[in-house]
Amino acid sequence: MTTQRECLALHLGEWHGLFSEYRPTAHGWELVGQKRSLITFEALELGAIRQTNAYYPLEGSPNPTSRQSWVYRDFSPGLRFFPDGSFSNGRLQLAPFSDFAVEQGFLWGDRKARVVQQWDAQGRLVEVTAILERRGQPLDPVADCSPLSKERLRACLQGRWRGIAQSFAVAEGRFAETEVDCSGAEWLSNWDPLPGGLWIGGPDPLPIPTAHRDRSFSVSLSWFPQSEDCHCLLRLIRDYDARGAWQRVTLIRAQKDPG
């Protein structure tokens, strides 16, 4: 079985990225800030991996506005990597009077797409950060970062999709695989698409403990890594049970049925 460290090692190298921060409004996403990034994963002795994040203004100065670095020797209990390098990270429990956050992301060769979602103590989604990255070279602002329209997303999802779902169950501590055969219309979302062929799904607001006895919910992130034809789809679903505890995370890799 592939270890978490081996999965993280798939990310080794220099990643050029664009961070786009959004606030949800009644009329869709409001862009509140953007910055460029250079994120490096470096192998160290004894299997440790160092991550260094440097952030730059969108235009102008080649000097970073901030830099931070840390070393992975252990992994947080809320983080789970998949064998292809995709990952899901978030809180173990939806707790009362507390904010909540999830980060999920995909690795596709030398491209990466991930999203950070943040909710306030009332369960309202307050900030979404879409992060698009390319290993070894800068992003193409048009080819890599253009969003799909709602109409284009709906058209792309039409038809049957087949593939494999890999699920990690927290209680059992292991992966299981099942086949996927379903209508892509099931994966539509009320949220507008994000840059680069990404879109999110989930309740709004979250079922916070002070207002709900049943606190089960799911948050999802989906991606067309080849948005020019939309025939391949990656999808992560992070599930929480009736007590608001993290239950499982599932990665779906599906292809559109040509028929």
Side-chain angles (χ1 to χ4, degrees):
M1 181 177 177
T2 308
T3 67
Q4 293 285 276
R5 200 175 307 277
E6 289 170 333
C7 295
L8 178 59
L10 296 175
H11 295 252
L12 291 175
E14 290 188 340
W15 294 85
H16 299 260
L18 176 67
F19 280 61
S20 300
E21 298 177 9
Y22 296 91
R23 181 186 299 118
T25 72
H27 306 290
W29 300 117
E30 177 189 356
L31 181 64
V32 295
Q34 287 184 302
K35 59 188 175 184
R36 295 181 295 117
S37 62
L38 180 62
I39 297 180
T40 303
F41 292 88
E42 175 190 2
L44 305 177
E45 295 181 352
L46 303 177
I49 294 175
R50 177 188 291 124
Q51 178 176 343
T52 302
N53 293 9
Y55 301 104
Y56 302 81
L58 194 60
E59 303 288 347
S61 174
N63 299 317
T65 56
S66 64
R67 186 191 301 269
Q68 56 190 137
S69 181
W70 61 92
V71 175
Y72 288 96
R73 291 189 175 90
D74 299 301
F75 296 88
S76 68
L79 171 63
R80 177 53 50 178
F81 281 96
F82 288 84
D84 71 345
S86 298
F87 68 92
S88 178
N89 191 18
R91 302 285 173 83
L92 298 175
Q93 181 74 48
L94 180 64
F97 312 111
S98 177
D99 58 4
F100 188 80
V102 166
E103 178 180 0
Q104 301 195 101
F106 306 103
L107 182 64
W108 181 268
D110 287 331
R111 294 172 58 211
K112 194 187 303 188
R114 51 195 176 103
V115 167
V116 179
Q117 296 171 250
Q118 295 178 287
W119 294 263
D120 64 15
Q122 287 72 48
R124 296 173 299 199
L125 184 66
V126 291
E127 185 175 301
V128 170
T129 304
I131 305 144
L132 300 168
E133 297 167 288
R134 186 178 288 276
R135 181 159 40 195
Q137 59 179 305
L139 291 169
D140 182 321
V142 175
D144 293 325
C145 304
S146 298
L148 296 170
S149 66
K150 277 188 171 181
E151 293 73 20
R152 173 68 172 156
L153 176 59
R154 186 175 292 106
C156 286
L157 286 174
Q158 291 301 311
R160 304 296 299 181
W161 290 80
R162 293 183 171 85
I164 297 294
Q166 292 177 304
S167 292
F168 176 80
V170 177
E172 299 171 8
R174 62 183 179 86
F175 283 98
E177 284 193 0
T178 56
E179 292 186 356
V180 173
D181 183 352
C182 66
S183 167
E186 299 176 18
W187 297 332
L188 282 170
S189 169
N190 291 330
W191 299 105
D192 286 348
L194 291 161
L198 288 161
W199 72 99
I200 63 172
D204 183 34
L206 296 178
I208 58 173
T210 53
H212 297 269
R213 185 179 298 274
D214 180 357
R215 301 190 288 277
S216 57
F217 68 97
S218 300
V219 292
S220 66
L221 174 66
S222 304
W223 187 37
F224 286 125
Q226 298 167 318
S227 56
E228 65 276 5
D229 58 27
C230 299
H231 287 166
C232 177
L233 180 145
L234 302 178
R235 182 170 167 83
L236 281 161
I237 309 101
R238 191 174 176 97
D239 296 314
Y240 288 77
D241 65 18
R243 297 176 294 109
W246 181 35
Q247 184 178 35
R248 74 173 61 85
V249 59
T250 302
L251 171 66
I252 295 174
R253 301 174 64 92
Q255 298 280 339
K256 193 169 187 177
D257 189 335

